[in-house]
Amino acid sequence: MINTCFIADTRAARVVSSVLAALFIVVISGCSIFQTKSKQAAYPPSACRTGNLLDDLGRIGSAIRSIDARARIQLELNGRKQPSISCTLKWYGADRSQLLRLTGYGPFGITLFDCLLKDNTFLLSIPSHKATYFSDLTQGIDAQSRPGSISQNSRAASAAAQFRMALNPWNAAMTSRISEIFCPGFNENPFLDSGSTEPSNASLVCYSSFVNQTRVWSAFDVNTLAPFAMETRDFKAYFNGILSDSGHSLPCVKYPESIILILKKRDITIHISIKKISFNTITPWQAAFDRAPFMGLRLIPLGNLLRQAVGR
């Protein structure tokens, strides 16, 4: 489903769309779990600095209430890169809400997939399947077809929280249990573009924290307050570059040009290249969050699609 050749190949389209479905459901489940905790750090005050590093990072994370972005996403499956696809993303996360619309496009603007999260309901429309896959996230992604899968649902919720941190990595500095750690062993980015330079160890600050009883390691550049890397038991994330001002920037926000996610247990790497972004321009009443366009297709439990991805 990535391009014309993939659309023609039914089996390949099914596999790739299944992987995408598994990825996107991880992105958007649940509500915000972060609580602010400050920690004194001796960095000089400025327009973006108060002298308390965790407060500075936390202010950035809390300032991002919504995101409207254009991006390209490329999957790398078992070491083989797939063609990239163009996406639009609208996310609203203020007032403890979680609303997201993510649409992927192929050649000539053909919609490959369209997904929506609203009121704990996840809808994934795949036009080539002539179907909309649905899930009640309060019951877990597989509850409709495999009731009572509590441990699996718990892992999905935990992974969802971690993935959201990769999209707004400053939130990693707002967890309730956090401590500064030494950076050696967590200060190299294997995905830097040729000619790019990474921060020296002296300019990085690293933290260890817990989210939903899962340990999270994160690293930030103390000079720019930009994210550098993040890791949990399930994935690694690397952040490259700083996106240029698109006309809707926020003070002190140095949003990465690219996010690289490595899903450890599935041998999947996701390359996300941000082309344009604006902050706090989305409202929860926009037509983008209307469920009506998703309801005209055949409705199928999302668990059915996810099992296809693993051959069950």
Side-chain angles (χ1 to χ4, degrees):
M1 64 179 254
I2 302 292
N3 58 21
T4 305
C5 296
F6 274 66
I7 295 173
D9 184 341
T10 304
R11 182 174 183 274
R14 184 173 64 250
V15 171
V16 174
S17 63
S18 301
V19 171
L20 285 171
L23 167 63
F24 297 141
I25 193 63
V26 163
V27 176
I28 59 178
S29 167
C31 299
S32 177
I33 58 172
F34 301 107
Q35 300 176 357
T36 302
K37 178 183 179 182
S38 64
K39 177 177 180 287
Q40 294 299 323
Y43 298 106
S46 69
C48 299
R49 311 303 284 267
T50 66
N52 184 313
L53 184 58
L54 281 178
D55 277 354
D56 297 337
L57 296 172
R59 283 188 301 113
I60 294 174
S62 62
I64 301 175
R65 301 188 301 275
S66 73
I67 289 176
D68 190 353
R70 296 180 182 179
R72 294 196 69 86
I73 296 179
Q74 183 179 46
L75 299 182
E76 186 175 334
L77 309 175
N78 299 317
R80 299 181 61 181
K81 288 186 177 181
Q82 309 298 315
S84 64
I85 58 174
S86 177
C87 296
T88 59
L89 180 150
K90 295 180 183 295
W91 170 78
Y92 179 84
D95 306 321
R96 301 186 67 83
S97 300
Q98 289 291 334
L99 300 172
L100 183 140
R101 180 77 176 267
L102 181 64
T103 308
Y105 301 97
F108 311 108
I110 297 174
T111 299
L112 300 179
F113 65 88
D114 197 2
C115 62
L116 172 70
L117 170 71
K118 185 176 183 179
D119 300 329
N120 286 320
T121 299
F122 178 73
L123 300 170
L124 172 63
S125 171
I126 302 180
S128 64
H129 292 194
K130 298 181 179 180
T132 292
Y133 299 91
F134 69 93
S135 177
D136 180 351
L137 298 182
T138 63
Q139 300 297 320
I141 60 176
D142 209 26
Q144 290 83 1
S145 52
R146 295 178 62 188
S149 182
I150 298 176
S151 61
Q152 186 174 12
N153 296 344
S154 177
R155 288 194 299 270
S158 177
Q162 296 166 48
F163 202 99
R164 284 199 310 277
M165 281 197 300
L167 296 178
N168 184 358
W170 294 275
N171 273 334
M174 299 171 64
T175 54
S176 58
R177 298 167 60 191
I178 186 167
S179 58
E180 188 171 339
I181 60 174
F182 289 109
C183 287
F186 190 53
N187 62 339
E188 295 182 357
N189 186 338
F191 295 95
L192 282 176
D193 295 331
S194 177
S196 299
T197 59
E198 57 186 333
S200 66
N201 190 56
S203 69
L204 288 178
V205 61
C206 299
Y207 295 105
S208 172
S209 57
F210 286 87
V211 177
N212 280 357
Q213 299 182 344
T214 296
R215 185 183 293 273
V216 180
W217 295 271
S218 54
F220 297 89
D221 187 330
V222 298
N223 296 319
T224 63
L225 300 179
F228 177 73
M230 178 180 294
E231 183 173 0
T232 74
R233 65 185 179 187
D234 297 319
F235 76 82
K236 293 181 180 180
Y238 296 97
F239 307 95
N240 291 333
I242 294 176
L243 196 65
S244 61
D245 191 335
S246 62
H248 297 89
S249 63
L250 285 174
C252 309
V253 175
K254 306 297 183 183
Y255 204 85
E257 288 183 311
S258 66
I259 303 171
I260 297 92
L261 300 172
I262 304 172
L263 308 184
K264 297 179 181 179
K265 298 179 181 179
R266 295 184 178 272
D267 198 12
I268 298 174
T269 300
I270 305 105
H271 300 259
I272 304 173
S273 178
I274 309 296
K275 300 303 181 182
K276 186 177 181 180
I277 193 168
S278 60
F279 303 101
N280 303 341
T281 60
I282 302 295
T283 69
W285 305 283
Q286 287 187 338
F289 302 124
D290 185 3
R291 286 180 289 194
F294 293 83
M295 308 310 291
L297 297 175
R298 183 168 48 110
L299 296 175
I300 302 174
L302 181 63
N304 294 2
L305 179 62
L306 299 185
R307 282 197 300 278
Q308 292 178 23
V310 294
R312 292 186 293 154

